[in-house]
Amino acid sequence: MKKSRQLDFSYLIEMVGDDPVFLADFFKTFIEHTSVYLAEMDHALANKNWSKVANYAHKIKPTFTYVGRNDAKQLVEAIEYHARNKIALEKIPSDVEELKLMCADICKQLEQEQIKLTSKR
């Protein structure tokens, strides 16, 4: 497995401020919604429903900017592009698997940040 990449919250903090309560809530929402969208994307992929794969990729794409993971955003953009245009379809399953690994790592880091933030309250 690839080495974990550190998250960068500077964009998020610039957008919403450095409010620990809001940030902890954002992290919780990110974790909850990302897992749902990934499960839905997986289901759509299993059914070869490319428009739904593209739609779920589109829904989660912006969230990676908030946590400073442009690599994940670019991967999601590739999944969305390939699914929407029905090109390189054979690449999508491995890209989705890579995305799930990235998201597991991101969510683990967000859970750790959440603990730090809630202990500051």
Side-chain angles (χ1 to χ4, degrees):
M1 187 173 152
K2 293 179 183 175
K3 182 180 173 287
S4 179
R5 287 196 44 193
Q6 203 56 34
L7 302 180
D8 176 4
F9 304 119
S10 56
Y11 179 78
L12 178 62
I13 290 170
E14 184 181 312
M15 296 299 293
V16 299
D18 196 6
D19 176 358
V21 173
F22 177 85
L23 292 174
D25 286 345
F26 175 86
F27 298 158
K28 179 179 182 225
T29 301
F30 181 102
I31 293 164
E32 290 170 354
H33 288 190
T34 301
S35 65
V36 169
Y37 290 145
L38 286 175
E40 293 291 339
M41 186 187 299
D42 235 7
H43 183 68
L45 180 61
N47 292 311
K48 297 188 183 331
N49 187 332
W50 304 117
S51 65
K52 280 190 175 184
V53 170
N55 289 342
Y56 286 113
H58 183 77
K59 283 182 181 184
I60 64 173
K61 182 173 52 178
T63 58
F64 297 109
T65 301
Y66 296 122
V67 296
R69 286 296 301 266
N70 202 42
D71 59 331
K73 183 179 178 208
Q74 288 173 341
L75 181 60
V76 171
E77 286 172 343
I79 293 168
E80 179 186 11
Y81 178 80
H82 292 141
R84 192 152 328 274
N85 295 292
K86 295 182 178 69
I87 55 174
L89 298 177
E90 71 285 350
K91 189 169 173 14
I92 294 174
S94 63
D95 284 351
V96 169
E97 286 306 311
E98 184 179 349
L99 177 63
K100 290 193 298 193
L101 291 174
M102 285 179 160
C103 287
D105 178 53
I106 291 168
C107 289
K108 183 178 169 192
Q109 289 184 61
L110 289 177
E111 287 168 353
Q112 292 167 346
E113 289 297 321
Q114 224 180 344
I115 291 167
K116 287 181 200 172
L117 288 170
T118 54
S119 69
K120 288 181 181 178
R121 290 183 190 172

